[in-house]
Amino acid sequence: MNESSNKFQDWMERTLLPVGSKISSQRHLAAVRDGMTVLIPLTIIGGFACLLAVPPVPAGVTESGNLLYTFLLAWQAWANSIKPYLMIPYQLTTGSLPSVLLITTIVSMFWFFGIHGDNMVSAIVTPITTTALAENLAAYTAGQPLPFIYAGSVSSIFGGWMTFTALQLLMLTVCKSKQLTSLVKVSLVPSCFNINEPGVFGIPFVLNVYLLIPTTICHLLNFTVYYICASIGLVGKFFMTLPFTTPGPIAAFLATMDWRTVVLWFILLAANYFIVLPFMKAYDKTLCAAEEKGEE
């Protein structure tokens, strides 16, 4: 038994270890790995702050019927009395603009390598954004100012979903290659409902340097502008969760109940269109040249 185990270990060291070492030393993949490593401590700090500020008290429990409820209600009373101070670590780490921009960049890099970036980071950020969303909803119901900007699906609605809509519009209005003009016929409608996989893998976005730079710029611009506008009260903050297939401008309105978020969404969509335009035209030109060469 031990001899078989040793042979298997030797085989792994001879065959798999060199491959794994080569992959881990690839600079682009290493950058994504290091970015996730940097992100984890920030999310732990922010998540722990949310845990302290929002104790798990069951809905409707107002009286201490047993020792557990007595503890939870005491924790809730303590947290409510100093909640602004408890949430300072969250605001400085996970909920801060630099942290969200770092998360956005990591998501873009995952997509570039053909990995579903949103799914990769959702396990880390979803508990935090959901807690923030619940706090915003409680504040909205009580008629108080909403405390959190990074809540719900805000980074998607004012982020990558918008940029992929701009890509679809570019393929529809500017591109001339057969590949992109054929693709937009089947990917435009799904993209309007935030189903971007047909475009991501059909363009393709994967390992496409023509699109990595402009789309990353757009993702960072979109959330930065929204973050600044929300922080100074020009647009509303998210307090509702909606199905991810809800079109962007509709989701922006229903999640905030503020018509100004819709106006901002369309302004940023136009900005995304013109930022990506020269890069998309250059990529389309290379596709046209390749198609002409293939026909000769």
Side-chain angles (χ1 to χ4, degrees):
M1 187 69 178
N2 291 335
E3 183 178 354
S4 299
S5 178
N6 291 335
K7 288 182 178 180
F8 180 71
Q9 184 175 353
D10 292 340
W11 175 81
M12 291 185 63
E13 291 178 354
R14 290 195 310 268
T15 57
L16 299 183
L17 185 58
V19 176
S21 299
K22 188 173 183 179
I23 293 175
S24 65
S25 62
Q26 207 282 333
R27 60 178 182 174
H28 300 96
L29 295 176
V32 175
R33 178 200 61 205
D34 295 341
M36 290 295 292
T37 302
V38 171
L39 179 63
I40 289 174
L42 298 179
T43 57
I44 290 175
I45 296 172
F48 188 70
C50 287
L51 174 63
L52 284 177
V54 187
V57 179
V61 175
T62 57
E63 297 182 359
S64 56
N66 53 48
L67 182 60
L68 175 61
Y69 284 169
T70 300
F71 170 74
L72 290 177
L73 290 173
W75 179 2
Q76 185 181 56
W78 170 78
N80 289 339
S81 66
I82 59 170
K83 183 171 291 186
Y85 302 102
L86 288 176
M87 294 308 297
I88 289 176
Y90 169 83
Q91 298 288 9
L92 295 178
T93 55
T94 311
S96 67
L97 180 58
S99 296
V100 179
L101 296 184
L102 175 60
I103 294 171
T104 300
T105 304
I106 291 173
V107 170
S108 296
M109 292 300 297
F110 272 126
W111 278 113
F112 178 72
F113 289 109
I115 303 171
H116 200 300
D118 298 280
N119 286 347
M120 290 297 294
V121 304
S122 62
I124 298 174
V125 303
T126 297
I128 296 172
T129 56
T130 302
T131 300
L133 192 73
E135 286 294 291
N136 281 358
L137 177 59
Y140 180 83
T141 304
Q144 300 173 352
L146 277 60
F148 301 115
I149 297 176
Y150 186 44
S153 57
V154 59
S155 61
S156 296
I157 295 173
F158 283 93
W161 292 354
M162 181 188 301
T163 305
F164 280 111
T165 301
L167 283 173
Q168 298 295 323
L169 295 176
L170 285 166
M171 289 193 290
L172 187 66
T173 59
V174 174
C175 296
K176 300 178 181 179
S177 66
K178 293 180 181 179
Q179 175 179 330
L180 297 182
T181 54
S182 299
L183 175 64
V184 72
K185 295 177 183 178
V186 297
S187 62
L188 177 60
V189 173
S191 184
C192 291
F193 295 92
N194 305 317
I195 302 173
N196 298 306
E197 285 79 2
V200 169
F201 298 108
I203 292 176
F205 181 83
V206 179
L207 299 180
N208 190 333
V209 293
Y210 285 98
L211 298 181
L212 174 63
I213 295 175
T215 54
T216 301
I217 292 173
C218 289
H219 297 169
L220 299 179
L221 172 70
N222 294 341
F223 189 81
T224 299
V225 172
Y226 171 79
Y227 191 98
I228 294 173
C229 290
S231 63
I232 60 178
L234 288 181
V235 296
K237 300 174 183 177
F238 281 52
F239 64 88
M240 290 288 290
T241 183
L242 300 163
F244 82 95
T245 52
T246 306
I250 298 176
F253 174 72
L254 293 178
T256 63
M257 296 307 294
D258 187 347
W259 62 269
R260 295 173 297 179
T261 57
V262 181
V263 176
L264 179 61
W265 191 92
F266 279 108
I267 291 174
L268 289 173
L269 176 65
N272 283 206
Y273 182 95
F274 289 107
I275 289 173
V276 182
L277 176 60
F279 296 90
M280 197 65 171
K281 290 180 69 174
Y283 177 56
D284 182 61
K285 186 177 180 179
T286 62
L287 292 179
C288 289
E291 290 169 357
E292 291 176 1
K293 185 177 180 180
E295 293 175 355
E296 293 178 356

